[in-house]
């Protein structure tokens, strides 16, 4: 019985393995080996810890992106929601001691507000997510230009923002990495252990069926976009803390990497399928890829082309798998 049962057990374990996640982690190992050919420091603990720290900012932003993609939607407002989070949190520090204490909540609250606009447009007005989020991105950009008068923001980040982004208070681990771990743990619990998470997957698989089963699909979509907006803004807060100040367009380089990180980890861009472990692998993979492209001095245009090709390839691969199912 034991011998005959071993092949069945092996087949069962193989089926449980999330193939895209395994492939993503395999690519991470390959990138590290390729990078080590250029510099031995690619395999040093210091370098790996630094890359995880850099990945943390993208990881926080990609967490919100994943929740929206699981719905079968897309959020194109990420660039300027990130900028709003960073710029409004640094602006709050100019309000005095109370402003410094409220800087982080103010930045996140502004992102949540923009996310609610996105969610309301998608859930209640039935505007395609691509259109409404692109419009909100443009509105956010205009608001920030008005806020700064078109000039670079002069406000600096608060001590708490700098501590979160650059400090290492626990066993030498970067605080940013710990923040990402907390955000990730919250996302895993939310998606796997709550009715909200099950509703997100249900809506992504078939929204009408989810509605007929009693799920308040409009409320779930609204909350999901609000969470995504808050996390994008929080990413902006961390970036402002890392640089000690905010900048216009500081989130422009995070839209495609955030989407690519999610789809690289196996999440279907059509919704309904994906795991957070895959997003973790995708974020680390994209971060290492960015590092190697910097070493070989790949221009920014070339990097954007690579991200676009990755998204198209994953859409073709996982999109066909979803239809086959």
């Amino acid at each position: 019985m034991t011998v005959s049962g071993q092949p069945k057990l092996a087949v069962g374990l193989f089926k449980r393995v999330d193939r895209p996640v395994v492939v993503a982690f395999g690519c991470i190992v390959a990138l590290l080996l390729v990078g080590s050919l250029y510099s031995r420091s690619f395999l040093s603990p210091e370098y790996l810890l630094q890359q995880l720290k850099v990945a943390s900012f993208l990881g926080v932003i990609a967490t919100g992106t994943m929740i929206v993609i699981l719905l079968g939607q897309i959020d194109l407002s990420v660039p300027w929601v990130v900028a709003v989070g960073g710029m409004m949190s640094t602006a709050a520090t100019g309000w005095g001691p109370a402003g410094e204490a409220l800087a982080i909540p103010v930045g996140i609250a502004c992102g949540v507000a923009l996310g609610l606009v996105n969610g309301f447009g998608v859930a209640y007005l039935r505007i395609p997510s691509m259109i409404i989020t692109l419009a909100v991105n443009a509105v956010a950009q205009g608001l920030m230009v008005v806020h700064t008068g078109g000039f670079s923001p002069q406000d600096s980040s608060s001590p708490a923002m700098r501590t979160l982004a650059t400090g290492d208070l626990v066993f030498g681990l970067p605080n940013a990495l710990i923040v990402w771990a907390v955000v990730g743990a919250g996302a895993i619990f939310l998606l796997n252990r709550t009715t909200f998470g099950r509703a997100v997957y249900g809506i992504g698989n078939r929204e009408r069926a989810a509605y007929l089963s009693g799920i308040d699909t409009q409320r779930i979509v609204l909350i999901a976009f609000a969470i995504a907006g808050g996390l994008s803004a929080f990413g902006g807060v961390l970036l402002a803390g890392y640089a000690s100040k905010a900048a216009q367009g500081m989130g422009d380089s995070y839209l495609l990497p955030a989407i690519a990180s999610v789809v690289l980890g196996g999440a279907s861009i059509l919704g309904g399928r994906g795991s957070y472990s895959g997003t973790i692998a995708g974020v680390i993979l994209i971060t290492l890829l960015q590092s190697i492209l910097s070493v070989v001095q790949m221009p920014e245009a070339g990097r954007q082309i690579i991200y676009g090709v990755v998204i198209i390839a994953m859409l073709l691969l996982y999109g066909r798998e979803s239809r086959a199912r």
Side-chain angles (χ1 to χ4, degrees), residues 42 45 47 53 56 161 163-165 169 227 245-247 282 304 308 310:
F42 268 75
Y47 172 81
K53 180 179 180 179
S56 301
M161 292 167 61
T163 299
L164 275 182
L169 301 178
I227 293 173
K245 62 180 182 179
Q304 297 300 319
V310 166

Side-chain angles (χ1 to χ4, degrees), residues 73-74 121-122 125-134:
Q73 307 291 348
I74 196 74
V122 173
L125 302 182
R126 309 304 294 178
I127 302 174
S129 59
M130 182 178 294
I131 303 300
I132 184 65
T133 58
L134 194 60

Side-chain angles (χ1 to χ4, degrees), residues 9-325:
L9 178 61
V11 171
L13 291 174
F14 180 77
K15 288 183 177 180
R16 292 179 189 174
V17 170
D18 196 335
R19 183 170 56 86
V21 177
V22 173
V23 171
F25 277 110
C27 290
I28 290 172
V29 174
L31 282 178
L32 287 173
L33 294 176
V34 170
S36 66
L37 298 178
Y38 288 92
S39 172
R40 293 181 180 179
S41 65
F42 268 75
L43 298 179
S44 68
E46 295 79 10
Y47 172 81
L48 295 177
L49 203 57
Q50 176 63 25
Q51 291 306 301
L52 287 174
K53 180 179 180 179
V54 173
S56 301
F57 307 125
L58 176 59
V60 170
I61 298 169
T63 301
T65 301
M66 176 189 177
I67 293 174
V68 170
I69 286 178
L70 287 176
L71 288 171
Q73 307 291 348
I74 196 74
D75 185 358
L76 300 182
S77 66
V78 166
W80 277 92
V81 174
V82 169
V84 165
M87 294 170 71
M88 294 309 296
S89 60
T90 55
T93 61
W95 303 344
E100 289 189 359
L102 294 173
I104 296 175
V106 165
I108 296 174
C110 290
V112 171
L114 292 172
L116 286 171
V117 175
N118 285 331
F120 184 81
V122 173
Y124 293 93
L125 302 182
R126 309 304 294 178
I127 302 174
S129 59
M130 182 178 294
I131 303 300
I132 184 65
T133 58
L134 194 60
V136 168
N137 187 69
V139 170
Q141 179 180 4
L143 290 174
M144 289 302 98
V145 171
V146 171
H147 170 67
T148 61
F151 298 99
S152 178
Q154 300 300 310
D155 301 303
S156 60
S157 57
S158 69
M161 292 167 61
R162 291 192 290 272
T163 299
L164 275 182
T166 63
D168 50 355
L169 301 178
V170 182
F171 304 117
L173 293 175
N175 289 344
L177 180 59
I178 296 173
V179 168
W180 181 25
V182 172
V183 169
I188 291 171
F189 176 80
L190 190 66
L191 291 173
N192 297 325
R193 300 294 182 181
T194 66
T195 54
F196 172 83
R198 290 188 288 273
V200 167
Y201 281 101
I203 293 171
N205 280 308
R206 192 175 294 273
E207 183 175 0
R208 182 168 179 78
Y211 174 78
L212 293 175
S213 67
I215 295 174
D216 188 347
T217 56
Q218 291 178 321
R219 183 175 63 88
I220 296 297
V221 171
L222 182 68
I223 294 173
F225 272 96
I227 293 173
L231 288 173
S232 291
F234 187 32
V237 170
L238 293 174
L239 287 170
Y242 185 74
S244 295
K245 62 180 182 179
Q248 293 190 29
M250 61 188 293
D252 288 349
S253 60
Y254 281 90
L255 175 60
L256 283 179
I259 297 174
S261 297
V262 175
V263 297
L264 268 176
S268 171
I269 205 164
L270 301 178
R273 183 163 60 87
S275 66
Y276 195 76
S277 60
T279 297
I280 293 173
V283 167
I284 296 174
L285 180 56
I286 288 294
T287 302
L288 289 175
L289 181 60
Q290 288 175 330
S291 179
I292 291 177
L293 292 178
S294 297
V295 170
V296 300
Q297 298 182 343
M298 171 72 73
E300 181 63 25
R303 300 183 198 186
Q304 297 300 319
I305 291 172
I306 290 174
Y307 301 146
V309 169
V310 166
I311 293 171
I312 292 172
M314 292 297 120
L315 177 60
L316 291 174
L317 176 62
Y318 298 130
R320 290 180 177 182
E321 285 185 0
S322 297
R323 292 190 186 95
R325 294 180 184 185

